Every structure is written in C-alpha cells, then in structure tokens.
Amino acid sequence: MTPTFPDISLSTERLTLRPFEEADAPELAAMMSDELSVAWTSAPIPYTRREAYDWITRRAPAERVGGRGIVLAVVEYLTHRLVGSVHLMNTDWRTLSTEVGYVVAPWARGEGYAAEAVLVVAQWLFRDQKFERLELRTAAGNTASQQVAQKIGCISEGVLRNALIVRSRTEDGGWADIRTDLIVWGLLPEDVEDLGDAGDATTEG
C-alpha cells in the first residue's frame, strides 16, 4: 500500500492552509498568471481557469493519493482571500524526506506569508509525520524565495550548476526559457526547534 499524507488543514494566527476548493479557481488562475509566478514556476502559459480547475479537482488531489506529496491552499484567516499555495513533492518515504515549493499571490507579497505558511508545514511534517528532512530549491535569481528559506532556518547546502530552466521576458513581450543555477536548501527537525510553534493541525480524513 502506498504511504500518503493525511488530508489535513493547518492554521496560524493569520492563515489557514487547507485543500484547494473549486471556488478557488479564479484566484488561482490570476495568481499563476502573474509575471513572477510565470517566471519562477513551470505553470502553463496562459494559466486559464480551466487549468486551475484541472489542478484543483484532479492533479493536486492526485499528489496526495499517489504518495508524492500534498498540495495546500493558503488563505487569509479573516478575509478568506487566496494568499498562495504550498506543495510538498518528490516525497521519499524510506528516507522520510520531501521537497517544498510555494507561490504567493501578488497582493500578499512582502507580508511574511510565505515563511509563515512553510514554517507551519515544516513543523507539522517533523512533529506529526516524523519526517527527517525538508528540502527547498530556489533559482539563483529568486532572492525573495531565498529570503524565505533563510527566515525559516534553512541551511544552504550547495549549488546545482545550470540545473534549472526559468522564464524570461523577450523583447516582443513573450517568454523564453533560460538556464540557471539552482540553490539547494535543507531543513532538519533541530533547525526549527528554536523558532517557536507556528500553528495547529487538523486532520480532515
């Protein structure tokens, strides 16, 4: 039987992390169509509501059911606006390690939401799921993502040269793929022990 993460919701003082719902599709499509989301992710271009609906109803749930990871929508506790998403992926159940990726909506950037969301996921992963390693990979030019890694206590472990393809604007307004270095960050249970408790977890099923 394939091991899987439980269907959970997490919360902090400002945020709720939960499975995506169909009603999130318009906000998800808008978030993934933003310039920075296009540049630093491999999301389809254009990212339509149909793409968002397919992700929410089929592809994201399959990540958990297939044992590869789990996808959580991050919403603001008071307004219920979509702040972003956190995605655990490439999970290795033998070594109890997984990789985290995240995206933040344009309106929510600069508020510390990414670090807050990833930290509560990391604490849940280490304390409740008994995982031993969380890995984060950032493009060399993605300084905002690197700051998130540093803020939650990640240790920079090295550079994979020329290992990632990102997107850059062309003169005609389109997008072109370019190669770049990839910085690997690691987070272990002891790295987050001194950061305090970020929030609570609720198992849905």
Side-chain angles (χ1 to χ4, degrees), residues 150-162:
Q150 293 169 336
K151 189 172 182 179
I152 66 171
C154 289
I155 304 299
S156 177
E157 298 178 336
V159 177
L160 303 179
R161 296 179 300 161
N162 221 25

Side-chain angles (χ1 to χ4, degrees), residues 123-194:
Q123 291 178 333
W124 166 77
L125 189 71
F126 293 146
R127 294 175 185 175
D128 294 2
Q129 301 301 301
K130 309 304 180 185
F131 266 55
E132 296 293 339
R133 173 178 170 82
L134 181 63
E135 189 170 292
L136 195 159
R137 298 183 172 210
T138 64
N142 192 348
T143 55
S145 191
Q146 292 161 30
Q147 289 170 358
V148 170
Q150 293 169 336
K151 189 172 182 179
I152 66 171
C154 289
I155 304 299
S156 177
E157 298 178 336
V159 177
L160 303 179
R161 296 179 300 161
N162 221 25
L164 182 67
I165 292 178
V166 296
R167 295 167 176 146
S168 178
R169 275 293 189 189
T170 59
E171 291 183 0
D172 63 2
W175 292 95
D177 290 342
I178 58 172
R179 300 198 70 92
T180 187
D181 294 345
L182 188 65
I183 303 174
V184 179
W185 306 80
L187 190 70
L188 305 183
E190 56 264 34
D191 296 329
V192 299
E193 288 176 356
D194 297 330

Side-chain angles (χ1 to χ4, degrees), residues 7-23:
D7 193 6
I8 53 97
S9 291
L10 305 171
S11 61
T12 70
E13 289 187 359
R14 301 190 297 171
L15 303 172
T16 298
L17 287 75
R18 57 161 174 76
F20 271 96
E21 301 170 353
E22 291 182 21

Side-chain angles (χ1 to χ4, degrees), residues 8-71:
I8 53 97
S9 291
L10 305 171
S11 61
T12 70
E13 289 187 359
R14 301 190 297 171
L15 303 172
T16 298
L17 287 75
R18 57 161 174 76
F20 271 96
E21 301 170 353
E22 291 182 21
D24 298 320
E27 287 183 284
L28 176 61
M31 179 177 75
M32 298 309 298
S33 298
D34 174 71
E35 292 261 334
L36 290 181
S37 299
V38 173
W40 300 124
T41 73
S42 58
I45 307 174
Y47 198 97
T48 63
R49 289 192 182 187
R50 178 175 291 183
E51 291 283 353
Y53 183 82
D54 183 61
W55 174 253
I56 290 169
T57 60
R58 185 179 65 86
R59 296 173 62 195
E63 287 289 285
R64 190 184 74 81
V65 174
R68 295 183 293 275
I70 189 171
V71 179

